[in-house]
């Protein structure tokens, strides 16, 4: 590995405050804030808005798309089968 070509790769804690979840991993991300981890060491911490603990896809709380409502709204705006136009 050539010196001075690669960024500093170090341990970092990523914290999802909304879910109360944090995990320790390695990254090149930088932060001035630190947190004391379970092992007693202090690591830089980066707050994220969403993680696997709070993302709807992973939690099973994904919204269902109202396709029928979208189609009805489209037909109201731009005409549709009820306007008598042949398609």
């Amino acid at each position: 590995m050539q010196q001075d070509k690669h960024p500093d790769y170090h341990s970092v804690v990523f914290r999802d405050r909304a879910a109360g979840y944090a995990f320790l991993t390695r990254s090149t991300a930088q932060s001035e804030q630190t947190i004391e981890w379970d092992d007693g060491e202090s690591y830089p911490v980066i707050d994220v808005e969403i993680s696997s603990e709070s993302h709807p896809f992973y939690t099973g709380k994904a919204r269902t798309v109202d396709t029928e409502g979208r189609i009805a709204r489209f037909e109201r705006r731009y005409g549709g089968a009820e306007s008598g136009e042949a398609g």
Side-chain angles (χ1 to χ4, degrees):
M1 193 162 88
Q2 294 180 351
Q3 297 299 324
D4 301 327
K5 286 210 173 206
H6 301 283
D8 180 32
Y9 188 65
H10 55 276
S11 297
V12 177
V13 174
F14 287 91
R15 177 173 55 189
D16 181 355
R17 288 185 173 233
Y21 177 70
F23 58 94
L24 178 66
T25 188
R26 294 184 53 85
S27 176
T28 59
Q30 301 289 329
S31 176
E32 296 296 321
Q33 298 176 336
T34 60
I35 188 172
E36 187 171 326
W37 195 244
D38 298 336
D39 61 2
E41 295 290 323
S42 183
Y43 298 103
V45 62
I46 297 176
D47 291 323
V48 293
E49 292 183 23
I50 198 160
S51 70
S52 61
E53 290 293 313
S54 61
H55 193 281
F57 179 80
Y58 296 107
T59 61
K61 298 178 183 175
R63 296 183 318 190
T64 57
V65 177
D66 181 18
T67 55
E68 183 177 337
R70 289 182 179 191
I71 293 168
R73 187 171 46 237
F74 177 83
E75 288 177 350
R76 272 196 316 272
R77 284 186 185 167
Y78 303 108
E82 70 273 356
S83 65
E85 294 179 17

